Amino acid sequence: MTNIKDLAKMAGVSVTTVSRVLNHHPYVTEEKKNAVLEAIKVSNYHKNINAVHLSKGKTLLIGVVLPFSDHPYFALLLKGIAKQALENNYKLVLFQTDYMESREMEALQMLKQKQIDSLIICSRTIDWPIIEEHLLFGPIVLCEQTVGKMVSTTFVNHYKTFFEALEYLYHKGHEKIGYCIARNSGTNSQDREFAYRDFVKKYQLRYRPDYIINECLHFEDGEKAIEHIKALDQPPSALLVTSDQVAAGIVTCCQKQNISIPDKLAIIGFDNQPIAKIMNITTIEIPLVDMGKNLFLQALNGDLSNKEMSVKLIERGTV
Amino acid sequence: MTNIKDLAKMAGVSVTTVSRVLNHHPYVTEEKKNAVLEAIKVSNYHKNINAVHLSKGKTLLIGVVLPFSDHPYFALLLKGIAKQALENNYKLVLFQTDYMESREMEALQMLKQKQIDSLIICSRTIDWPIIEEHLLFGPIVLCEQTVGKMVSTTFVNHYKTFFEALEYLYHKGHEKIGYCIARNSGTNSQDREFAYRDFVKKYQLRYRPDYIINECLHFEDGEKAIEHIKALDQPPSALLVTSDQVAAGIVTCCQKQNISIPDKLAIIGFDNQPIAKIMNITTIEIPLVDMGKNLFLQALNGDLSNKEMSVKLIERGTV
DNA sequence: TTGTATGCGTTATCAT
DNA sequence: ATGATAACGCATACAA
């Protein structure tokens, strides 16, 4: 592989001059410039980016931590991140963690080792203090609402969103309301539980832990959710479902089992994915792609900022 | 940031010795080793991987080219790749191309510039000769069947698979069979069209280009497919649908429109995704995750190999 | 406008 | 067993 030294020799100039034309710096005569350009062409030269990185201390690489890439929520987030990365000539390093701390640590390590310039954490298991101590090594951006933490974030207010959705159902006549979440840890799920508890308190309803259905991630989990509530003495009459995929699975399952929607069971999905439109599912739109874009920009920029994204209730046929 | 030079000074040894303990090389006394280890601990030292890369000429990074990450087919492929990458301590650089040649070129460029060790191309738009000339710079692995090309590949035989599926439908009494594909370019789609043409010829049926429904990617495209065939003078009685997502969309749409499945319209999906099971869709199982794993291994290994993955018809309720 | 020399942090080679 | 030193390929401060 030819390097700038070779080019310099070929063009009869110094490596500095070669570097100058390579990086479009001023102060180089047309004549020498053309000589270098010619040398580049005939030698089929290309920079060794690793050397550039070492020299500059930058990689043009941004890490993305997410549990799975085969879930629409994260796939859409990733889409936004990737789109923005492209525009800024950055590449992404993907960390698919399956929510394993060790894998999240790897991402943090790469930041520490300067193998990536910054890190976007779409969802995490690892505790905040660990993240905090890695803030020294480069920008870290979170996709969750934080309080009193010195990190950049892009988030939706899940507490408010959930509370309002619960009230919406309440005013439609529902008093027994359950909800499905992906996992019970995680700040988003916590925020939702707070909302649920406050809602129950406000309207003097009974707090029923068995109305909270955990591990609802994919379409096929809809069936599980239905089985869960069918086993209850007093099944809920409405369900908040934090993924349209799962909501679609629930609707499909109800059709099979002749459970009338929304009469017997009302459903509100989340995200407003295409499947929700097709299946006429009432849902709460979350601008995932835009969130992804913003996450990237924050990671690139490095300044501290916190951006709340607004959501929108899309009324369709399942409530 | 402390470097090995600092460590050497702290431990009272040479940089070579430090490097030795860092890389678990033999020939270093316990005493000095401990001194270095201690220095590493107190200084909170971590390697600068860029320097390692420059020195070794390797990055432990493998590029993955795919059009979208928010489609189950690619998401599953990616999942397999990521899983295997993890086991081998490799990281992934993601190129989301939207089938734009320029973006595929970027990936090729990164291989050329040694920013990635090898490249996995899950699907492409770019022509073979371009790829061929980048083979010099590192391993490139394709996810398609090739003939007479010196590349490693992991693929399913789409010609055979399609032909057999068509015959299966034919023996079930169908003579008017259409199919849905994601895009009409691409080698996989071409293989399928060859199969379709040969099938039509073998059974002396009419070749109907309007039985080929293009741009069927997502759940919501199922509706489009139904509209398409409804507009035909002689709608097909069976449809091969190259994605379970689309098949599910079709089934859902048919339910809404009271089109009886399989009586009025038979459906065979592809991939055997969870949604196919839930919705009881007959489908052809493709081991996408395993394919992803194999793609990674080929990329890592660098040797030339071509692996055909076997598929399996899963008979359910839509035929 | 151009070139020399040095730094970036490791690994590898070759003495000792 | 250990250490000096070159090599990796590029960027850049500084000198000219």
Side-chain angles (χ1 to χ4, degrees):
Chain A
M1 286 259 102
T2 85
N3 57 27
I4 53 171
K5 221 169 180 173
D6 300 330
L7 289 184
K9 210 167 290 172
M10 294 169 68
V13 299
S14 72
V15 292
T16 311
T17 302
V18 174
S19 181
R20 283 208 179 88
V21 346
L22 244 27
N23 296 290
H24 309 102
H25 285 181
Y27 305 128
V28 39
T29 52
E30 277 299 308
E31 189 190 7
K32 303 212 172 193
K33 184 173 173 180
N34 288 133
V36 172
L37 257 21
E38 181 59 22
I40 290 175
K41 190 161 287 174
V42 305
S43 65
N44 193 21
Y45 165 84
H46 280 271
K47 277 191 196 181
N48 177 324
I49 300 276
N50 287 325
V52 178
H53 290 168
L54 175 59
S55 186
K56 296 235 245 200
K58 281 212 161 202
T59 62
L60 295 187
L61 248 32
I62 285 191
V64 182
V65 168
L66 35 74
F68 349 92
S69 58
D70 61 337
H71 187 280
Y73 176 89
F74 294 111
L76 253 20
L77 225 39
L78 183 57
K79 187 178 199 167
I81 295 170
K83 195 170 275 181
Q84 198 63 50
L86 192 85
E87 277 189 27
N88 292 75
N89 200 28
Y90 264 69
K91 304 296 177 294
L92 301 179
V93 176
L94 201 61
F95 299 89
Q96 214 174 40
T97 63
D98 283 326
Y99 281 129
M100 290 175 62
E101 283 201 17
S102 60
R103 303 193 186 164
E104 297 178 12
M105 276 309 296
E106 282 183 29
L108 260 6
Q109 287 295 325
M110 276 188 69
L111 185 65
K112 203 169 189 171
Q113 299 178 14
K114 302 207 168 303
Q115 200 171 3
I116 52 179
D117 291 344
S118 35
L119 188 61
I120 298 171
I121 300 180
C122 297
S123 187
R124 66 185 165 100
T125 300
I126 221 161
D127 289 331
W128 165 248
I130 310 278
I131 301 209
E132 189 172 28
E133 66 188 37
H134 284 82
L135 243 24
L136 299 164
F137 305 107
I140 299 179
V141 181
L142 260 36
C143 186
E144 64 190 72
Q145 191 165 11
T146 57
V147 283
K149 300 192 173 84
M150 297 294 281
V151 238
S152 288
T153 56
T154 299
F155 61 94
V156 319
N157 186 331
H158 284 292
Y159 177 90
K160 189 171 123 234
T161 302
F162 228 58
F163 198 89
E164 288 176 0
L166 288 164
E167 286 195 315
Y168 173 81
L169 288 169
Y170 183 80
H171 292 131
K172 291 270 182 182
H174 296 280
E175 300 210 335
K176 290 176 291 179
I177 308 175
Y179 68 89
C180 303
I181 48 173
R183 53 174 193 148
N184 49 23
S185 54
T187 58
N188 289 350
S189 297
Q190 278 170 20
D191 290 346
R192 284 158 170 161
E193 187 172 344
F194 289 145
Y196 186 62
R197 285 180 181 275
D198 288 350
F199 163 76
V200 163
K201 194 176 292 172
K202 176 171 178 183
Y203 293 96
Q204 298 181 310
L205 304 171
R206 192 175 138 212
Y207 173 74
R208 295 197 50 158
D210 54 1
Y211 274 15
I212 304 175
I213 310 167
N214 195 10
E215 290 178 9
C216 291
L217 266 165
H218 302 285
F219 186 94
E220 59 270 29
D221 295 325
E223 195 164 339
K224 212 175 55 188
I226 291 298
E227 296 312 315
H228 178 100
I229 63 171
K230 273 171 63 179
L232 264 29
D233 55 330
Q234 288 202 318
S237 66
L239 240 34
L240 274 182
V241 185
T242 60
S243 161
D244 281 336
Q245 292 291 308
V246 179
I250 289 176
V251 169
T252 301
C253 182
C254 286
Q255 282 170 352
K256 276 203 294 195
Q257 303 198 13
N258 284 319
I259 299 172
S260 171
I261 289 179
D263 306 332
K264 197 78 186 295
L265 184 65
I267 300 288
I268 294 184
F270 268 77
D271 300 349
N272 192 26
Q273 288 169 21
I275 199 172
K277 187 176 180 191
I278 295 293
M279 298 191 63
N280 199 31
I281 296 172
T282 295
T283 190
I284 293 169
E285 183 177 84
I286 298 182
L288 291 168
V289 175
D290 286 339
M291 287 178 74
K293 288 185 186 176
N294 199 63
L295 285 165
F296 176 86
L297 259 13
Q298 288 175 308
L300 180 62
N301 183 292
D303 302 348
L304 211 67
S305 68
N306 302 92
K307 168 123 184 166
E308 177 177 342
M309 307 295 281
S310 56
V311 303
K312 195 170 114 195
L313 177 71
I314 312 284
E315 297 188 274
R316 288 199 270 248
T318 55
V319 172
Chain B
M1 287 259 102
T2 85
N3 56 28
I4 52 172
K5 222 169 182 173
D6 300 331
L7 289 183
K9 211 166 289 172
M10 293 169 67
V13 299
S14 72
V15 291
T16 311
T17 302
V18 175
S19 180
R20 282 209 180 88
V21 347
L22 245 26
N23 296 291
H24 308 103
H25 285 181
Y27 304 129
V28 41
T29 53
E30 277 298 308
E31 189 190 8
K32 302 212 173 194
K33 183 173 172 179
N34 288 132
V36 172
L37 255 22
E38 180 61 20
I40 289 174
K41 191 161 287 175
V42 305
S43 66
N44 193 21
Y45 166 83
H46 280 271
K47 276 192 197 181
N48 178 324
I49 301 274
N50 287 325
V52 178
H53 290 169
L54 174 59
S55 185
K56 289 216 195 196
K58 281 211 164 205
T59 62
L60 294 187
L61 248 32
I62 285 192
V64 181
V65 168
L66 35 74
F68 349 92
S69 58
D70 62 337
H71 186 281
Y73 175 88
F74 294 110
L76 253 22
L77 224 39
L78 184 57
K79 187 179 198 166
I81 295 171
K83 194 170 275 180
Q84 198 63 51
L86 192 84
E87 276 189 27
N88 292 74
N89 199 28
Y90 264 69
K91 303 296 175 295
L92 301 179
V93 177
L94 199 63
F95 299 89
Q96 214 174 42
T97 63
D98 283 326
Y99 280 129
M100 290 175 62
E101 284 201 18
S102 60
R103 302 193 187 165
E104 297 177 12
M105 276 308 298
E106 283 183 29
L108 260 6
Q109 286 296 325
M110 276 187 68
L111 184 65
K112 203 168 191 171
Q113 300 178 13
K114 302 204 167 303
Q115 199 171 3
I116 53 180
D117 291 345
S118 37
L119 188 61
I120 298 170
I121 300 180
C122 297
S123 188
R124 66 182 165 103
T125 300
I126 222 163
D127 289 330
W128 165 249
I130 309 278
I131 299 199
E132 189 172 27
E133 65 187 39
H134 284 83
L135 243 25
L136 300 164
F137 305 106
I140 300 179
V141 181
L142 260 35
C143 185
E144 63 189 75
Q145 192 166 11
T146 56
V147 282
K149 300 193 172 85
M150 298 293 281
V151 240
S152 287
T153 57
T154 298
F155 61 94
V156 319
N157 186 331
H158 283 291
Y159 177 90
K160 188 170 124 238
T161 302
F162 228 58
F163 197 89
E164 289 176 0
L166 288 164
E167 285 194 315
Y168 173 81
L169 288 171
Y170 182 80
H171 293 131
K172 289 273 182 179
H174 294 281
E175 301 211 332
K176 289 175 293 179
I177 308 175
Y179 68 90
C180 303
I181 49 173
R183 53 175 191 146
N184 48 23
S185 54
T187 59
N188 289 350
S189 296
Q190 279 170 19
D191 290 346
R192 284 159 170 161
E193 188 173 342
F194 290 144
Y196 186 62
R197 284 179 182 275
D198 289 350
F199 164 76
V200 163
K201 195 176 290 170
K202 176 171 179 184
Y203 293 97
Q204 299 181 310
L205 304 171
R206 191 174 139 211
Y207 173 74
R208 294 196 52 158
D210 54 2
Y211 274 16
I212 305 175
I213 310 169
N214 194 10
E215 290 177 10
C216 290
L217 265 165
H218 302 285
F219 187 94
E220 59 270 27
D221 295 325
E223 195 164 338
K224 211 174 56 188
I226 292 299
E227 295 313 314
H228 177 99
I229 62 172
K230 274 172 62 179
L232 264 30
D233 54 331
Q234 287 201 320
S237 67
L239 239 35
L240 274 181
V241 185
T242 60
S243 162
D244 281 337
Q245 291 292 308
V246 180
I250 289 176
V251 169
T252 301
C253 182
C254 285
Q255 282 170 352
K256 277 202 295 196
Q257 302 198 15
N258 283 318
I259 300 172
S260 170
I261 289 179
D263 307 330
K264 197 76 186 295
L265 183 66
I267 300 290
I268 295 183
F270 268 76
D271 299 348
N272 193 25
Q273 288 168 23
I275 199 172
K277 186 176 181 194
I278 296 290
M279 298 190 64
N280 199 31
I281 296 172
T282 295
T283 190
I284 293 170
E285 183 177 82
I286 298 182
L288 290 169
V289 175
D290 287 339
M291 287 178 74
K293 288 185 186 175
N294 199 64
L295 284 166
F296 176 87
L297 258 16
Q298 289 175 308
L300 180 62
N301 183 291
D303 300 348
L304 212 66
S305 68
N306 301 92
K307 168 122 183 164
E308 177 176 342
M309 308 296 281
S310 56
V311 303
K312 195 170 115 196
L313 178 71
I314 312 284
E315 296 188 274
R316 288 199 269 247
T318 55
V319 172

